[in-house]
Amino acid sequence: MRKWFAVVGLVLVGAGCSGISTTSDWDETYDFSTLATYAWTEQGLEGGVSEIMLRRMYLAVDEELSGKGFTKADVYTADVLLAYHTGTQDQQQYDTYGYGAGGWWGGYWGGGMTTTTVRTYSEGTLILDVVDREKNELIWRGSASKTIDEMASPEERVKTIQDAVSKLLKDFPPS
């Protein structure tokens, strides 16, 4: 279950979008103005994704797309299909601090002491693919990543997911 906290990129740390990084890429020849409907593709629970977190992610994407005028359809008639991919990756941060007597700027190397601490943290990523249903071609891909706060409350997790999805889909569809 721990890995899912990141999973939707999203139990990303803290509230707000400040620590959420997003990127997107799309087929610049595709006419996104013709899109009106979407459907989710069937996917297994990747990486131990909890059903609770999965429902939160689906709801956040559905609400964001609805606000942009899209309607949900079935997989046989939708203009585009949505697929998600999730993952986590451990990162390390090194912090060095200390003091010294003298230093190279004083013309000699002096004694002193430094300490380096290593902090390991997890970063979660959500990748959202938009596929043209008829052509079966990827037309847009976005990703959102953030440090995972494993101590976040359910309310904080919902807010983080909503913020990440909102930031991820901010410029979708591209003009």
Side-chain angles (χ1 to χ4, degrees):
M1 172 116 170
R2 173 186 280 178
K3 286 190 178 188
W4 170 243
F5 287 133
V7 165
V8 173
L10 301 165
V11 182
L12 316 165
V13 85
C17 291
S18 61
I20 300 170
S21 62
T22 61
T23 62
S24 61
D25 193 14
W26 59 89
D27 179 349
E28 64 281 351
T29 64
Y30 192 85
D31 183 5
F32 287 88
S33 67
T34 64
L35 303 179
T37 60
Y38 73 96
W40 286 98
T41 61
E42 289 294 319
Q43 291 187 311
L45 298 178
E46 296 180 31
V49 175
S50 81
E51 290 183 36
I52 294 170
M53 291 301 294
L54 186 59
R55 283 192 305 264
R56 289 173 180 156
M57 186 270 302
Y58 280 142
L59 182 60
V61 172
D62 289 345
E63 287 176 352
E64 193 69 27
L65 290 178
S66 176
K68 293 174 177 277
F70 286 87
T71 56
K72 207 170 180 179
D74 65 56
V75 294
Y76 304 107
T77 61
D79 297 328
V80 293
L81 302 175
L82 305 182
Y84 71 90
H85 314 278
T86 59
T88 60
Q89 184 173 11
D90 287 340
Q91 303 286 339
Q92 292 185 330
Q93 178 177 333
Y94 298 89
D95 296 312
T96 302
Y97 57 93
Y99 65 92
W104 67 268
W105 58 88
Y108 64 93
W109 288 99
M113 178 177 222
T114 61
T115 302
T116 300
T117 59
V118 179
R119 182 176 71 91
T120 301
Y121 61 95
S122 293
E123 183 174 271
T125 301
L126 165 67
I127 298 171
L128 185 64
D129 287 339
V130 179
V131 176
D132 180 289
R133 182 189 56 80
E134 287 184 5
K135 296 178 183 176
N136 196 30
E137 291 179 354
L138 180 67
I139 58 170
W140 186 91
R141 171 174 272 187
S143 69
S145 298
K146 191 167 187 331
T147 302
I148 299 166
D149 180 3
E150 295 184 24
M151 302 303 290
S153 69
E155 294 82 10
E156 291 169 324
R157 291 180 185 151
V158 168
K159 175 79 169 118
T160 299
I161 289 171
Q162 289 170 337
D163 289 346
V165 167
S166 177
K167 188 171 181 183
L168 175 65
L169 293 173
K170 178 180 176 219
D171 297 320
F172 179 83
S175 52

